[in-house]
Amino acid sequence: MRTIQKCPAPNSLTQWRRPRLTANRPAGMECTYEELRRVPAVLEAVEDGLFAEQGGICAYTGHRLGLTPAQPNQGMQRDVNFHIEHLMPQTYCTAEYGNYGKDTAYDNLVACWPRPNCGFEPAYGARKKGSWPSVPEQPQFVSPLRGDCSARFAYNHRGEISAAQMHDAAANETIDRLGLKYPTLTALRREAIRGALNPASRPIKLTEARKLLQRMQQDSNHVNQGVSTRLMPFCFAIEPALEREIRKLEAILSQR
């Protein structure tokens, strides 16, 4: 997982929510996600914002996401290849829990793989997370919005994930609840790492590794600064592998 630098909420979402959060709101003006989805312009602004601030990758898994704007002149409809995920599950975004309107709060929304109605039930990621964590369980969840999220997880060359600190209970619980050790996801991370370290089916050179790492770090910085940039899928697992490879190649070079 990668720390997401959250941008301000889209203006259209802020304006849509404002009258629905007042104590004397008119009947029928509910501030719920179901109602939000009935307003395409606001929903699309939210989707655009989430996709951009995440660099086009899933908040939990690192899968590549897709978003293609509509092109009416060419008869092409808007295509969104992800779903909107609630960090605090919708179940707990109610007045009963003191969280009325939280299911439409921008700081509770992220973009996640897979797309809605994908035709299968993934064994990892947002679908696996389900309605976890409850309100009391929130401290057990390492949210991708946490400033220390990236540093809480470690990845080896085989794509295997672990808590960066062995006894980090929240990181271990998050890995388990999101199924981040699932074999299919681990294999995807492993292949992404192998591809980066073996361009054109040969071992990467030191200069190439340095350039690739620099580019990936620049891309990450650009995304954090609000610059439209597409991140490499599983970049958070590839970068530490590149750093290790660079240290290894530098050590070999120093011995010559």
Side-chain angles (χ1 to χ4, degrees):
M1 289 171 64
R2 174 184 178 275
T3 295
I4 297 169
Q5 297 290 334
K6 207 69 174 162
C7 296
N11 289 333
S12 58
L13 175 63
T14 301
Q15 294 169 6
W16 180 87
R17 295 182 78 232
R18 187 175 293 120
R20 290 167 171 78
L21 292 173
T22 59
N24 59 344
R25 62 183 176 274
M29 291 191 70
E30 298 299 319
C31 193
T32 64
Y33 185 63
E34 288 75 16
E35 289 299 314
L36 170 62
R37 291 194 64 84
R38 300 177 191 273
V39 189
V42 179
L43 178 63
E44 290 180 9
V46 171
E47 291 171 340
D48 290 345
L50 298 179
F51 182 80
E53 69 188 14
Q54 293 176 209
I57 63 172
C58 174
Y60 296 155
T61 66
H63 271 282
R64 183 184 298 282
L65 305 179
L67 194 160
T68 305
Q71 300 181 42
N73 294 338
Q74 299 182 23
M76 295 178 60
Q77 295 184 338
R78 178 181 174 88
D79 183 57
V80 180
N81 191 21
F82 60 85
H83 75 275
I84 294 178
E85 159 74 356
H86 294 78
L87 298 171
M88 174 181 286
Q90 285 180 270
T91 301
Y92 307 110
C93 296
T94 63
E96 177 186 357
Y97 293 96
N99 293 315
Y100 173 74
K102 186 71 172 175
D103 55 344
T104 65
Y106 194 65
D107 62 2
N108 191 42
L109 306 177
V110 291
C112 283
W113 172 89
R115 68 188 308 148
N117 306 313
C118 62
F120 64 97
E121 192 60 29
Y124 58 88
R127 296 287 185 86
K128 172 76 164 58
K129 174 177 172 286
S131 293
W132 181 81
S134 65
V135 175
E137 293 173 318
Q138 289 291 319
Q140 301 175 34
F141 175 41
V142 180
S143 165
L145 302 193
R146 288 184 58 104
D148 64 351
C149 175
S150 297
R152 299 280 288 275
F153 303 97
Y155 307 86
N156 62 23
H157 270 58
R158 296 182 294 278
E160 297 166 337
I161 185 175
S162 63
Q165 301 296 325
M166 184 186 307
H167 301 296
D168 186 340
N172 283 311
E173 184 73 4
T174 299
I175 289 171
D176 181 59
R177 293 285 189 163
L178 272 61
L180 300 182
K181 288 187 175 182
Y182 193 72
T184 301
L185 181 57
T186 299
L188 289 171
R189 290 192 298 256
R190 179 169 60 249
E191 290 308 307
I193 292 169
R194 285 178 177 173
L197 297 184
N198 296 276
S201 301
R202 59 165 176 75
I204 195 168
K205 298 176 182 178
L206 179 57
T207 54
E208 294 172 327
R210 286 172 174 165
K211 287 181 180 179
L212 178 56
L213 179 61
Q214 182 181 39
R215 179 169 64 82
M216 294 181 69
Q217 292 173 337
Q218 288 177 339
D219 286 346
S220 182
N221 288 335
H222 286 160
V223 169
N224 292 343
Q225 294 164 4
V227 179
S228 180
T229 308
R230 295 295 299 272
L231 296 177
M232 189 179 296
F234 313 110
C235 55
F236 45 78
I238 296 172
E239 286 189 26
L242 278 171
E243 291 171 347
R244 290 190 295 268
E245 189 69 11
I246 289 170
R247 288 194 296 270
K248 184 186 78 174
L249 294 175
E250 287 176 338
I252 294 173
L253 184 63
S254 68
Q255 294 172 4
R256 291 180 179 174

